[in-house]
Amino acid sequence: MSTARENILARLRAAETQAPTFDAEPQPPPEWGMREKRLRFIERMEAVRAEVIETSADDLATVLASWLASREVRSLLHDPGSRWAEMLHQAIADGAELPELIAFNREIELWKRSLFDNVDAALTTTLGGIAETGSLMLWPSADEPRSMSLVPPIHIAVLEEKQLYATFAEALEQQQWAEAMPSNALLISGPSKSADIERTLAYGVHGPKELLVLLLRDEDEEAS
Amino acid sequence: MVTKTVDFSARAVEALHNARLRGSFRDAMDDLIRKRLDHFRDETLFRELSGEGAAIRARALSRLPELLEQLERKLVSNGITVHWAEDAAQANETVLKIIRAHDSRRVIKGKSMVTEEIGLNDFLETRNVEVLESDLGEYILQLLDERPSHIVMPAIHKTKAQIAELFARKFPEIPYTEDVDTLTATARRVLRDAFRSTRIGISGVNFMVAETGTLCLVENEGNGRMCTTIPDVHIAVTGIEKVVEKLADVPPLLALLTRSATGQPITTYFNMISSPRREGEKDGPKEVHLVLVDNGRSDIFANPDFQETLRCIRCGACINHCPVYTRIGGHSYGTTYPGPIGTVFAPLQDGLKERGELLSASTLCNACTEVCPVRIPLAGLINRLRAEYAAPRGNVKDAGSGRSWKEAMAWKLWSAVYARPRLYQRLLNWGLKHRDRLPRELAPWSDSRAMPVIAEKSLHQLVREKSEADQ
Amino acid sequence: MREKPTQVLLFGSCLIDVLYPQAGMDAIALLEREGIEVVFPQAQTCCGQPAFNAGYRDEARKVARVQLDCLQGDAPVVVPSASCAAMMKHHYVELFRDQPEAEAAAQLAARIVEFTEFLVDVLRIRLQDQGPDIRVAVHSSCSARREMNVAVQIESLLEQLAQVELVHQDHKAECCGFGGTFAVKQAEISAAMVADKTAALLRCEIDRYITQDCGCMMNIDGALASQQAPLRGTHIATFLMERTGGNEDS
């Protein structure tokens, strides 16, 4: 195989390359304020049939509990170490009706069937959102593995308003993604969908059928 | 793999007479055109964005060999194994070897035009490896044993009723339905079982980032994520031209790709893979392989007249806007990539002898050039290829193979007349004088059109007469 | 905005020469009415586009050289046919790439102005409609629309005419299916395209369609005639002369 490599590279090196001749000013990100970003994000998300609930950290558990109840969700995959998990556990202790909370606490091989068949929903954090396109940014990790936002039929993502960026380009730059990429990084913009059958949109073809975004309003901004 | 183009015209004519097919292509393309336009009504904005897109791709190509080496270094240090394949056979063998190393008999695939190009499915099937396509459109086509007719919407030539009938036949336990949600749910169920139990996933790649060693996949369904997340091994197969220099190059290209392809501001998933499952992580493939396929690309790269073809990001906008494609559909082309990009790419890849006939399937209307998000002058390249086809220049494989003695004579004669103004006018005047005696029919023109009416006097004559009268 | 010249050269095109000379005469008359001296070099033949698009570049070059010779000078070259204009403005550079005439080709290219573009952008012509009510559609050629970028100009001229109602056919920007040798080599696809084009125009219930390109007109009119439809095309120069009282003595 290394000969293939050498041959290909040799052919490429021998070729004359053309100097790029295009005018390429990168587009500056739009200067949207928090409100503008939030409204755009919600509009885009809803346009692709995702649901956005604006709430606060304090109300998160209550809001989530009633939403889950409305969907008859019996099991919720989550990261027990996250800030939100603590709130959920507290809510349960306080008597809130929440589904069974499951942790992704072992390698997928050890419980694949159950993950595929028995988990109704998963709750993940996000790295932020993109207003222009209505996207969530996720960096799956050991605590929140990749398949959490993929396999269960419902994906619930917590997004803090102050983590909204105008564009993907702006987020990449400000969060300095290029410094160290995770094994997998994702932009998620709505539930899974396909238009492959006569261009008719169908949801949940492989990934989640539903996407709920819990958008945590920035209280500092409210005050100001 | 793909069919040979020898009988392109015959296939095109057959497709033309299939009213249902023509209607569905027209509706589908109109829809895609409208959706794209919703984003690019502002022409200045499109020009700015496409200028940026073209610049990013051109900059990457201008440093292609070093970027590929940088990409390889980064990928390897991230834990991804890199393979190089000079042609389809090497690429297929490489994939097979990885599959065999895992004692596997089955793979599940995400959408990949390059694996279509190298004929991977047929190759693996004949070596006792079962291949399951998981993109809904590709899955439907696999059940039908058909090829994609469009690079973004592979099953666009199929109606709901045809798919309903297919599913009723393949899954007799499910009652016949044309309800798309139910059909989709059936596919979901079948394919989920496969995702869960298959150990090897294969995918294509939309962009590769040299700076970070990242493979980017663009999709709506989530099957691409499934193939690259659930199985133990992920094999990505792609062309060497797909590399870009840095992560910051990705957002503009992504924006151009999804808007140009399906009129979406972004697809549901943008999946960036930089390494296999890391220590402590609980899912993701334990091995990731990248097969870098040349298959004629380095020759296109070496040809300065056609190098810009490699800027292509496979959005399919040129296809959607092509009035010829709209009439004849994707299968007529007999190539992996149909429409204008295929009309350029296939002859460059396979040679003019095999693919030259495609070059006639263009009115050079430039609808393709106008919408290309990376400013590939497609009509201009088709025209250039016609020159290669007609005259042996030697820059493209089988240059000159389209030269027919009759056609060459006709153009020689034409130029002999039109390059001699006085001879031209003498012949013209003779023709005008005998205009009643010129043929009233001349196939194939007159099969569907009346012959044009020759004027009584030429413009040359009228101008002369006028200036004499003016004096 | 470009300055108004005192003199222009007119390149009539081979199709106008043999099929639609009145369009050429009307273009000249219109320009002269605006006070422009129009020179028509008698040595002109064809821009070379047919052979160029067929891939026969040597032959195209031979013919194009004649035009380079007879269109010398500094005056703008006005072309009442957008595809020929595009050939000379954009493709001569490619055709004469690495040829001794490369500079001459670039010099000519810079002087090429499509007819409606000249009327609108250079002359800033003002038109007074003198004709009866009429309903028309415009078919801009692909070269006009996408190479010369002048699809707007023809419509802005018609909009100046008070009694002219401009309607828009569906798939207006789509090619009519002519494409030179395409009409011969892929005759059936071409026929399907022009059939769609004529159907779209006929659905508009117009009196005429107006165009700035005679290749399309030959194709569309040919199809209309063979379908025995009464609709026909009119070159923009002829239409403008007609509407503004300029054709009275012809």
Side-chain angles (χ1 to χ4, degrees):
Chain A
M1 278 301 110
S2 67
T3 49
R5 178 186 188 277
E6 295 321 313
N7 293 345
I8 293 169
L9 286 172
R11 276 198 297 273
L12 295 179
R13 280 195 209 99
E16 256 178 76
T17 53
Q18 291 157 347
T21 51
F22 293 93
D23 40 327
E25 284 300 304
Q27 305 287 309
E31 286 172 17
W32 293 330
M34 185 70 90
R35 187 185 132 79
E36 173 94 28
K37 282 192 279 192
R38 180 176 70 240
L39 293 179
R40 282 179 184 267
F41 176 84
I42 295 171
E43 191 197 323
R44 286 305 330 152
M45 270 292 177
E46 290 179 344
V48 292
R49 234 210 239 180
E51 193 175 339
V52 182
I53 299 180
E54 295 177 71
T55 180
S56 65
D58 292 343
D59 297 336
L60 178 94
T62 333
V63 168
L64 182 60
S66 79
W67 192 89
L68 290 171
S70 76
R71 294 296 193 282
E72 293 176 22
V73 169
R74 289 155 304 155
S75 53
L76 179 68
L77 189 60
H78 77 311
D79 165 20
S82 77
R83 189 181 148 202
W84 320 119
E86 216 173 292
M87 293 181 178
L88 294 183
H89 290 281
Q90 187 59 49
I92 292 172
D94 294 346
E97 296 261 348
L98 273 160
E100 181 195 359
L101 295 178
I102 313 168
F104 206 125
N105 52 13
R106 54 207 186 281
E107 293 202 309
I108 188 170
E109 288 75 15
L110 301 173
W111 68 302
K112 229 185 221 177
R113 179 171 285 277
S114 170
L115 171 65
F116 270 72
D117 295 347
N118 302 330
V119 178
D120 291 341
L123 176 75
T124 71
T125 58
T126 61
L127 224 67
I130 298 163
E132 184 188 41
T133 52
S135 310
L136 300 166
M137 299 184 283
L138 273 78
W139 278 24
S141 63
D143 299 324
E144 283 187 356
R146 309 177 192 201
S147 35
M148 279 179 74
S149 61
L150 177 64
V151 176
I154 297 174
H155 174 208
I156 301 156
V158 182
L159 169 65
E160 294 179 75
E161 184 182 21
K162 57 175 184 283
Q163 296 290 349
L164 271 176
Y165 295 84
T167 62
F168 183 29
E170 189 188 59
L172 281 186
E173 197 199 311
Q174 290 193 13
Q175 295 191 343
Q176 299 177 310
W177 284 32
E179 300 292 307
M181 285 293 277
S183 50
N184 185 211
L186 297 161
L187 301 188
I188 297 179
S189 314
S192 152
K193 63 174 181 273
S194 175
D196 275 351
I197 302 178
E198 232 183 64
R199 293 176 291 122
T200 309
L201 266 181
Y203 291 89
V205 55
H206 296 292
K209 294 174 188 173
E210 283 189 83
L211 173 64
L212 169 68
V213 181
L214 295 172
L215 181 59
L216 303 189
R217 294 289 294 271
D218 185 4
E219 276 135 34
D220 299 343
E221 194 236 4
E222 292 303 302
S224 67
Chain B
M1 246 210 277
V2 288
T3 42
K4 303 295 175 201
T5 316
V6 243
D7 50 355
F8 164 75
S9 301
R11 281 197 303 273
V13 168
E14 202 186 310
L16 269 179
H17 294 300
N18 184 337
R20 187 200 54 69
L21 196 69
R22 249 182 88 183
S24 55
F25 272 107
R26 169 58 103 182
D27 291 347
M29 295 309 114
D30 282 354
D31 191 34
L32 289 168
I33 287 170
R34 254 192 317 270
K35 284 184 175 148
R36 172 191 171 276
L37 198 59
D38 282 342
H39 295 282
F40 295 132
R41 258 178 227 293
D42 180 350
E43 276 175 43
T44 323
L45 175 75
F46 178 65
R47 247 189 295 280
E48 278 170 14
L49 280 173
S50 66
E52 200 182 340
I56 289 168
R57 292 294 300 133
R59 173 158 45 77
L61 291 176
S62 75
R63 302 180 46 209
L64 185 58
E66 52 176 306
L67 287 185
L68 284 169
E69 286 177 288
Q70 185 191 352
L71 173 77
E72 184 186 36
R73 273 197 309 276
K74 284 306 283 188
L75 287 170
V76 168
S77 80
N78 292 351
I80 294 176
T81 313
V82 179
H83 311 260
W84 301 69
E86 287 191 79
D87 52 26
Q90 277 183 16
N92 288 331
E93 285 294 345
T94 305
V95 174
L96 180 66
K97 213 180 275 173
I98 302 167
I99 297 168
R100 291 228 165 117
H102 291 85
D103 278 328
S104 196
R105 280 293 176 88
R106 192 157 84 138
V107 297
I108 190 156
K109 275 183 71 201
K111 203 168 146 30
S112 149
M113 289 311 294
V114 174
T115 60
E116 200 64 55
E117 178 190 321
I118 60 175
L120 179 67
N121 291 14
D122 288 348
F123 173 85
L124 292 178
E125 300 274 1
T126 58
R127 273 131 188 108
N128 289 321
V129 176
E130 187 195 335
V131 180
L132 188 64
E133 291 285 354
S134 65
D135 171 88
L136 182 57
E138 297 277 0
Y139 174 66
I140 291 165
L141 294 184
Q142 192 179 31
L143 292 178
L144 287 163
D145 198 21
E146 285 190 27
R147 300 280 160 210
S149 57
H150 190 280
I151 63 170
V152 177
M153 313 198 88
I156 200 147
H157 58 290
K158 288 290 157 204
T159 62
K160 216 177 279 185
Q162 287 174 313
I163 295 164
E165 189 272 325
L166 168 76
F167 275 43
R169 196 152 37 84
K170 295 280 175 181
F171 311 107
E173 71 280 8
I174 293 158
Y176 178 92
T177 176
E178 290 187 18
D179 178 62
V180 173
D181 286 327
T182 316
L183 294 170
T184 304
T186 303
R188 176 184 171 103
R189 187 176 46 74
V190 174
L191 289 166
R192 283 209 145 209
D193 283 346
F195 283 125
R196 205 188 52 215
S197 57
T198 307
R199 285 160 48 217
I200 298 191
I202 297 180
S203 80
V205 176
N206 292 94
F207 316 113
M208 311 185 280
V209 185
E211 177 188 31
T212 54
T214 302
L215 310 178
C216 305
L217 279 73
V218 178
E219 57 149 349
N220 282 310
E221 294 186 1
N223 67 305
R225 283 190 65 198
M226 284 285 187
C227 290
T228 61
T229 302
I230 306 298
D232 294 341
V233 181
H234 167 209
I235 307 170
V237 183
T238 199
I240 51 172
E241 82 283 15
K242 293 264 175 74
V243 68
V244 296
E245 192 180 322
K246 48 187 200 272
L247 205 56
D249 291 339
V250 168
L253 291 181
L254 176 63
L256 283 165
L257 174 61
T258 62
R259 289 169 210 210
S260 302
T262 51
Q264 291 176 273
I266 192 165
T267 48
T268 300
Y269 299 114
F270 185 58
N271 181 4
M272 310 174 82
I273 299 161
S274 300
S275 83
R277 182 185 307 191
R278 284 179 190 160
E279 185 72 36
E281 290 182 346
K282 302 186 190 82
D283 67 0
K286 292 168 186 158
E287 275 180 35
V288 178
H289 297 263
L290 173 69
V291 184
L292 286 170
V293 181
D294 181 336
N295 205 25
R297 287 165 175 78
S298 58
D299 291 332
I300 300 176
F301 186 74
N303 189 335
D305 276 359
F306 297 99
Q307 196 182 83
E308 49 198 336
T309 309
L310 298 177
R311 286 208 299 266
C312 178
I313 56 172
R314 305 281 189 266
C315 69
C318 62
I319 301 173
N320 302 344
H321 288 75
C322 178
V324 173
Y325 175 89
T326 304
R327 302 294 182 312
I328 64 174
H331 288 156
S332 303
Y333 290 82
T335 53
T336 308
Y337 312 96
I341 185 64
T343 303
V344 175
F345 194 69
L348 289 173
Q349 193 177 34
D350 303 334
L352 285 159
K353 200 179 249 162
E354 211 171 292
R355 302 290 182 191
E357 194 190 349
L358 288 179
L359 296 169
S360 65
S362 169
T363 63
L364 303 181
C365 79
N366 270 296
C368 47
T369 312
E370 185 181 35
V371 297
C372 178
V374 289
R375 296 199 191 166
I376 303 172
L378 286 152
L381 295 178
I382 292 173
N383 188 314
R384 257 184 208 171
L385 278 168
R386 285 184 182 174
E388 299 281 345
Y389 196 36
R393 281 155 211 271
N395 287 339
V396 176
K397 189 179 164 203
D398 309 320
S401 61
R403 193 179 188 83
S404 81
W405 182 86
K406 245 171 72 183
E407 208 181 332
M409 267 321 282
W411 287 116
K412 275 215 179 336
L413 217 65
W414 171 86
S415 71
V417 175
Y418 283 82
R420 290 180 179 78
R422 266 181 296 179
L423 174 63
Y424 162 73
Q425 282 196 51
R426 272 210 303 279
L427 284 169
L428 178 63
N429 293 344
W430 182 89
L432 299 178
K433 219 162 105 190
H434 300 94
R435 64 193 193 125
D436 298 335
R437 281 192 272 157
L438 294 175
R440 279 163 197 275
E441 279 179 15
L442 196 60
W445 178 271
S446 53
D447 293 343
S448 51
R449 303 173 195 83
M451 294 297 285
V453 181
I454 308 288
E456 228 169 295
K457 288 178 181 174
S458 71
L459 181 60
H460 279 85
Q461 284 173 327
L462 292 174
V463 171
R464 266 201 311 272
E465 286 173 12
K466 178 175 174 291
S467 65
E468 279 157 20
D470 286 350
Q471 274 162 19
Chain C
M1 203 56 77
R2 278 163 288 186
E3 223 173 282
K4 181 172 162 178
T6 53
Q7 188 196 61
V8 299
L9 304 186
L10 188 100
F11 181 79
S13 90
C14 60
L15 272 190
I16 286 188
D17 208 16
V18 62
L19 299 179
Y20 308 105
Q22 193 54 45
M25 292 306 284
D26 290 328
I28 293 171
L30 208 54
L31 294 170
E32 286 180 344
R33 203 175 69 185
E34 294 295 310
I36 307 283
E37 185 197 341
V38 182
V39 177
F40 181 89
Q42 282 283 332
Q44 62 180 275
T45 59
C46 165
C47 65
Q49 183 187 191
F52 179 71
N53 284 354
Y56 287 78
R57 293 198 173 183
D58 292 339
E59 289 75 8
R61 214 175 282 121
K62 230 183 253 171
V63 171
R65 274 192 197 108
V66 175
Q67 322 317 316
L68 287 184
D69 277 349
C70 77
L71 297 171
Q72 281 178 33
D74 298 316
V77 179
V78 176
V79 187
S81 163
S83 69
C84 312
M87 176 69 196
M88 299 198 277
K89 190 163 191 73
H90 299 300
H91 302 304
Y92 271 16
V93 181
E94 162 103 2
L95 185 61
F96 289 103
R97 199 164 55 139
D98 309 322
Q99 300 282 326
E101 299 91 340
E103 229 187 278
Q107 202 260 351
L108 175 62
R111 290 161 51 222
I112 298 291
V113 193
E114 189 271 338
F115 175 66
T116 61
E117 184 188 8
F118 189 78
L119 295 186
V120 174
D121 298 339
V122 182
L123 297 185
R124 273 161 280 174
I125 195 168
R126 285 290 157 258
L127 301 164
Q128 267 298 309
D129 194 2
Q130 296 171 29
D133 286 351
I134 187 172
R135 202 173 140 91
V136 303
V138 166
H139 172 75
S140 271
S141 70
C142 298
S143 311
R145 187 178 296 280
R146 288 182 276 267
E147 292 192 287
M148 296 305 290
N149 228 338
V150 297
V152 178
Q153 278 80 346
I154 187 168
E155 293 190 16
S156 79
L157 289 167
L158 295 179
E159 277 158 14
Q160 288 190 37
L161 304 173
Q163 284 83 252
V164 174
E165 185 193 353
L166 177 60
V167 292
H168 302 278
Q169 69 276 30
D170 65 83
H171 295 94
K172 188 175 166 184
E174 193 176 76
C175 179
C176 70
F178 175 46
T181 51
F182 173 80
V184 177
K185 291 194 171 178
Q186 295 299 342
E188 301 224 24
I189 307 175
S190 172
M193 288 168 71
V194 74
D196 288 347
K197 185 57 76 186
T198 53
L201 287 168
L202 288 169
R203 276 196 296 276
C204 290
E205 297 178 347
I206 41 173
D207 300 301
R208 266 185 278 164
Y209 75 90
I210 314 297
T211 182
Q212 69 289 73
D213 218 313
C214 292
C216 308
M217 191 153 81
M218 173 173 76
N219 183 43
I220 298 171
D221 276 2
L224 286 167
S226 117
Q227 298 160 24
Q228 278 153 10
L231 180 66
R232 289 293 179 276
T234 301
H235 190 276
I236 181 69
T238 300
F239 189 67
L240 293 182
M241 280 307 277
E242 220 183 281
R243 299 299 299 187
T244 57
N247 258 356
E248 275 149 18
D249 56 1
S250 72

